[in-house]
Amino acid sequence: MGDTLEFSDIYQEVKGSWNDGRLRFGRQSVVYKSSKTGKVDSIPAAELSQAQWRRVCLGQGIKLTTSTGHIYKYDGFRDTDFEKISEYFKAHYKVELSEKELCVKGWNWGTTKFSGPLLSFEVNDSPAFEIPLASVSQCATGKNEVTLEFHQNDEAEVSLMEVRFYVPPGDTATTEEGPEPVEVFRDSVLSKADVIQATGDAVCIFKELQCLTPRGRYDIRIYPSFLHLHGKTFDYKIPYTTVLRLFLLPHKDQRQMFFMISLDPPIKQGQTRYHFLILLFSKEEDLSLSLNMTEEEVEKRYGGKLSKNMSGSLYEMVGRVMKALVNRKITVPGNFLGHSGTQCITCSYKASSGLLYPLERGFVYIHKPPVHLRFEEVSCVNFARGTTTTRSFDFEIETKQGTQFTFSSIEREEYGKLFDFVTAKKLSIKNRGFKEGLKGKDDMLEDSDEDQHDAYLERMKEEGKIREEANDSDDSDGESDESFDPGEEEDDIAEEYDSKASASDSSAEGGDSDREKKKRPAKKAKVVKERKPRKKKPKDSGAPKRPMSAYFLWLNASRESIKAEHPGISITEISKRAGEMWRELGKEQKVEWDGKAEEAKKDYEVAMREYRESGGGSSAPSKKERKKKGGKSDEKNKKGASGGGRERERERTTGNDSFKSREFISSEESSSESDRGKGKRKRKGSDEKEEEVASTPPSSDSGSD
């Protein structure tokens, strides 16, 4: 037989809900670790006094009793595990694993036994059910009744609210000498119940501490067994047994500190549950603390972890006291350093900005809402491009339970540090090729997935090909309908404009339709021409530089001082900080920089005037010259366009005999009469146009025509 026995999917009942985890039997101890919270229960092997094997709802279970009075119950074993566990207990713990049958008769009359933290209701010496007294929140008595109320677990589907026991009255002689049986029952329950009563003086008090969750300022009173938060509106009493972890994390500005307390079960405020208590401290705030105990009591109870009189930073005093009373280690950031030199990353979670801390064993996000993710419960991580801009990216974490946490708006400079950290911790990354696609590119999120197959894009291409083929077939079927094709009209305009517009109207009238039939080429498929990019005006390298505004003159003078006050600050943070400082400057302080900006503007105007006089910048034509030159060509274009319009009108009326519209088909005679009238009017108009052209003097630019 080996030195250890391990079992997975072992369940532990916590206030009405089943939490799974792993149970390991070792030579030195029995260790159970919850998969949900990561909480570890360690039972020294020397303290094991009794072990029972019982049939329960989840198969087989084991009940362990220690010499200190604690009881631990674990369920989820198989029937075949009994022999293996029994032999291991005999060999290493010298404890016999006995089988115990539970009573399933359903009787509600029996006896109650208080054994350590359990109340056992037995029928004929067989336990029917057991109640952990730590789950009792209140105990009330009646005439012959005792009512037990329980702490509620929000994650349990069904919760037990209360249980009532009828306690028969004792003999008259017995009750006169001692207390009533009901009172004895109640006292036995309250001695082990988790009912918080503030008795005695507090060990110490921290006044007016800033709390982020729940928000407000609270006085924190430290008692030996619980923590009391006293605010203006709400009071909270937090037993030290509900504290899972303590965190001490520095703010990104290096001036403040976060102290975070992880709680299970959480504290409640109406329907809101707070799984984390977050305090915010300033590093510059100091405190002298004196404990409300004698030096002998402090030494005896806390073993040198605390002293009666202490002084130092406020956050150090709170952390030191909490560490000693809760008996938990304080988690601090590890070796991770971001791009700005700090141990956290600025990001957003659920539309709220906060800080993400990569720790040695997990991730912590502060603060709205606070999130703690252990590496053990992380299934994989993913680096995704930002949804709004390419200057940032998203960091996605998916847990083994299927929950996804997305931290967005992370600056792209943080990518390399975060990727190296995740790789070093051996976390599974969905898009392993993401970093390689980003290396050596200015825009690190622009071409990250070029090699990936885009099914949507391929489908769109196929649909586009089908539409083009359908359009080509439609064009081939409708080639005879040339007169009503808008694209054909544009081609006619271009041909008439390029051809000689001085042809006589008489010749056009007689044989225009015949020539158009011969000259008109067959219709070609349309080709979409690509638009040429607009040419930007070349920059004149020899021209004087434009003057800077008052703000930029002040920024150049103050940049080094800002860097000295905030070492390791990024360029974007410098701009933000400078903007705030500039807004805070008074009008009197800005007058100096406004004067410098005005002088720089005058110097620029003088330098620009001298530059132009010396011939600089004269190679490019001015706007007025381009406008004047373009005006003449516009007149010519207008004349050509008007002539082309008349030709096109003539084509519609006289040309293309192969097609006739509905109005022509309806009355042949009326159409012939209208054609004659239109022909006369067109001759008269064309004669007037020729006289106007003859009387207009030729311009100097039209010699080439």
Side-chain angles (χ1 to χ4, degrees), residues 149-209:
E149 297 180 6
F150 302 98
H151 292 288
Q152 298 305 304
N153 190 342
D154 297 330
E155 299 179 359
E157 296 181 0
V158 180
S159 296
L160 179 64
M161 302 295 293
E162 67 177 27
V163 172
R164 293 184 181 182
F165 292 94
Y166 172 77
V167 182
D171 296 336
T172 306
T174 307
T175 55
E176 290 178 356
E177 296 177 359
E180 292 283 344
V182 172
E183 296 178 0
V184 175
F185 191 98
R186 182 197 62 186
D187 294 340
S188 301
V189 171
L190 291 178
S191 63
K192 298 294 183 180
D194 188 12
V195 180
I196 301 175
Q197 298 177 351
T199 57
D201 297 330
V203 176
C204 60
I205 300 176
F206 300 99
K207 293 187 176 181
E208 292 292 324
L209 296 185

Side-chain angles (χ1 to χ4, degrees), residues 405-466:
F405 298 86
T406 302
F407 303 96
S408 59
S409 301
I410 304 176
E411 295 180 358
R412 65 179 184 179
E413 290 81 7
E414 302 286 359
Y415 172 77
K417 301 283 186 180
L418 186 58
F419 187 92
D420 295 340
F421 174 82
V422 171
T423 306
K425 296 302 178 182
K426 298 180 180 179
L427 296 178
S428 175
I429 303 176
K430 272 189 177 180
N431 47 354
R432 286 294 303 184
F434 189 77
K435 184 175 182 180
E436 288 73 8
L438 299 179
K439 279 190 175 181
K441 295 184 182 296
D442 294 334
D443 193 349
M444 62 176 297
L445 298 176
E446 189 172 13
D447 301 321
S448 59
D449 56 350
E450 286 182 347
D451 298 334
Q452 296 180 3
H453 176 71
D454 194 340
Y456 179 78
L457 180 61
E458 295 296 331
R459 193 172 73 236
M460 291 297 101
K461 288 181 179 180
E462 292 296 329
E463 291 180 1
K465 290 180 180 179
I466 295 172

Side-chain angles (χ1 to χ4, degrees), residues 5-49:
L5 283 179
E6 288 194 15
F7 299 92
S8 59
D9 297 331
I10 301 300
Y11 294 87
Q12 183 184 35
E13 187 267 331
V14 179
K15 294 183 180 179
S17 69
W18 293 99
N19 295 339
D20 64 320
R22 296 181 62 85
L23 181 66
R24 183 182 66 194
F25 297 105
R27 289 179 176 270
Q28 304 297 327
S29 62
V30 178
V31 179
Y32 177 80
K33 186 172 184 179
S34 174
S35 301
K36 176 187 173 186
T37 62
K39 186 177 180 181
V40 178
D41 293 335
S42 182
I43 309 170
E47 295 181 1
L48 286 176
S49 60

Side-chain angles (χ1 to χ4, degrees), residues 177 381 637 675:
E177 296 177 359
V381 300
N637 293 344
D675 288 342

